[in-house]
Amino acid sequence: MNLKRAIIKFLLYFVVFTGSNLVLKAIFIPDDLNFHDIVSTILTTSSISIGIVLVEYAMKKKS
């Protein structure tokens, strides 16, 4: 896996995780969705996405 493909995977994971998280929060906890929650969700999903992509990149590069 090259770096370009890793960046594309990160963006894909980030969009899917962030979108699904925000939709679920809007459905199940609509009163509690404010700016702080949105920023927190974006930071959490971006760190998870980076972690997944780094592990995949390291595993593919090793083999």
Side-chain angles (χ1 to χ4, degrees), residues 40-54:
S40 171
T41 300
I42 289 172
L43 290 175
T44 303
T45 56
S46 65
S47 63
I48 291 169
S49 299
I50 287 172
I52 291 172
V53 169
L54 285 177

Side-chain angles (χ1 to χ4, degrees), residues 1-10 53-54 57 61:
M1 177 184 337
N2 58 12
L3 188 60
K4 184 178 179 181
R5 185 173 223 153
I7 291 171
I8 291 172
K9 276 192 169 189
F10 162 73
V53 169
L54 285 177
Y57 184 72
K61 193 165 182 138

Side-chain angles (χ1 to χ4, degrees), residues 1 4-8 10 14 18-19 22 24-25 28 30 34-36 39 41 44 49-50 56 58:
M1 177 184 337
K4 184 178 179 181
R5 185 173 223 153
I7 291 171
I8 291 172
F10 162 73
F14 178 72
T18 304
L22 289 175
L24 288 175
K25 282 186 178 188
F28 291 118
N34 56 23
F35 182 74
H36 174 71
V39 171
T41 300
T44 303
S49 299
I50 287 172
E56 283 184 16

Side-chain angles (χ1 to χ4, degrees), residues 24-34:
L24 288 175
K25 282 186 178 188
I27 290 172
F28 291 118
I29 315 170
D31 297 336
D32 204 27
L33 192 64
N34 56 23

